[in-house]
Amino acid sequence: MSRPAARVLALLELLQNRGLVSADEVARRLEVDARAVRRYVTALRDMDIPIESVRGRYGGYRLARGYRLPPLMLSDEEAVAVAVALAAASERETAGAPSPSDRALVKLNRLLPTALRERVKALGAATSVTGSEPLTPEPDLALTLAASVQARRAVRIEHSGRARDVDPYGLVVHARRWYLVGHDHLRDDLRMFRLDRITGAAELPRRFTAPAGFDPVAHVLRALTLGAWTHRTEVWLDTDLATASARLPATFGELRPCPEGGVLLVSGAEDLAAMARLLTGLPWPFTVRNPPALTAALAAHVEALTAAVARSDHAPA
């Protein structure tokens, strides 16, 4: 968005929140001069937004009395797309004071029609976003599942051609894909389902209680890190948990502090040779605990590196 357009919107927001605002304050808030303020007021009037000029010592600008902006006319799909993009941006922004994306979400919710506003709010509350900006899901499906998560009501989904009753604990977006995490009554087990493989969902009247302290994000990361690989690996790292967590992404594996000191990295691998190469790039001493085949892969990698050093020593200058 261009800076003039952003300032026009900022002026509108200021007038909505404050009523009568002096020209000097508008200029100070927008960091522009008086001529620019008059241009932005004219731009709002050109959009049929009635801005009144009040003369005198205590004058300024205000919205015409009784005027209210109409609801923002977005389709369900458009509202979900905007809310998801803003939520993803908010996850990446610095914690602490409300982020620009948080403020934008507040404004979006204020402009949406009431029924859609409540559904979008439920989607934001039920969804955790990790990594890059997610793809937009099928809107009615995402909104239905989010409402069930918030209401703690079971949901019946059509997944891979079968109907399943699920107690939905949360929605998680990772690596741009959406996952529903919950208790699957068909298998009587905790599972996660990709939303792009769910063709329908309907909320059921039955309520449920989620397990105390359950973290849907941690479950998805653990399942994607360990559950999808041929080999389970365990490597002891000579460092502390805070340092390892700051250096290694969550998808690298699960980090567990060891009673004797150090950190155990529990991960998964399809290619042990590739895992060996990754380990040699770590800045700390480490010990492979499992599997023995990873130790053999590490030895082969070290042998290849040693041979490369020997060739370099004898290379012509």
Side-chain angles (χ1 to χ4, degrees), residues 61-75:
Y61 298 103
R62 69 185 178 197
L63 286 173
R65 296 186 185 279
Y67 177 79
R68 295 182 63 85
L69 284 173
L72 183 63
M73 291 291 101
L74 294 178
S75 68

Side-chain angles (χ1 to χ4, degrees), residues 1 69 72 87-88 91 119 121 133 135 143 153-155 169 172-173 181 193 196 202 255 265 280:
M1 181 183 296
L69 284 173
L72 183 63
E91 291 283 345
R119 299 185 80 193
K121 284 173 63 178
E133 184 174 313
L135 298 172
L143 293 170
R153 291 188 184 275
V155 64
Y169 298 156
V172 177
V173 186
V181 181
F193 303 92
D196 58 338
L255 297 169
L265 170 64
T280 56

